[in-house]
Amino acid sequence: MRQINYKCVHMGEIKDIMAIYFEKQSVYIKDCGEAKLENVKLIQDTGLKDKHGHHIYEGSILRFRDTFYDKNMDDTYTTHNFGVVKYLNNRFTIMDFERSGAVMAMVREEANSILVDLLNTSEVAGHIYIGR
């Protein structure tokens, strides 16, 4: 069984959580101290890393290679696309694509093995909760 890891977004930065106190509705943040849950956003680790070894969290913005169809040229081309990692229906997925491409179609069909390969070959370009 995999360990579920969380971090939090606090004051515009992703921080390590040392403890979550549900009775007090607070978290203890490494190098910051205690903060109320209402003042932080908890983000869950997917358990996967990008191609540079960075952890992929819920809310990570991923940059990846994607294939697109150009109907004017009646041909396909490959370039970069962006999407956001979200937890939906008891699994991680990619949503909010910058453009509609082949990856979006595969994700909608719930091709999990393709999604895991995509996550492992993508790179974290930012995070939705810290504005990068």
Side-chain angles (χ1 to χ4, degrees), residues 31-132:
D31 300 327
C32 289
E34 196 169 339
K36 291 287 185 189
L37 279 174
E38 64 193 31
N39 298 326
V40 300
K41 173 67 179 165
L42 295 178
I43 55 175
Q44 185 178 348
D45 189 345
T46 64
L48 299 170
K49 295 181 180 179
D50 73 359
K51 67 181 184 179
H52 301 295
H54 299 117
H55 286 268
I56 299 173
Y57 287 90
E58 180 182 2
S60 291
I61 300 169
L62 300 181
R63 181 177 187 253
F64 51 89
R65 303 284 293 165
D66 202 351
T67 302
F68 300 92
Y69 175 71
D70 184 338
K71 65 180 175 183
N72 293 331
M73 296 180 66
D74 193 27
D75 200 3
T76 60
Y77 64 97
T78 302
T79 189
H80 287 100
N81 199 359
F82 294 87
V84 178
V85 176
K86 295 198 176 179
Y87 191 76
L88 183 67
N89 298 327
N90 297 317
R91 70 182 187 101
F92 287 101
T93 190
I94 300 177
M95 299 178 73
D96 302 334
F97 291 89
E98 184 177 64
R99 295 182 288 175
S100 299
V103 170
M104 187 173 85
M106 288 183 280
V107 168
R108 283 190 176 153
E109 293 173 13
E110 298 186 20
N112 288 335
S113 61
I114 293 168
L115 183 59
V116 170
D117 289 342
L118 172 72
L119 292 173
N120 287 322
T121 58
S122 65
E123 60 186 337
V124 175
H127 200 280
I128 62 171
Y129 298 114
I130 58 173
R132 295 188 235 155

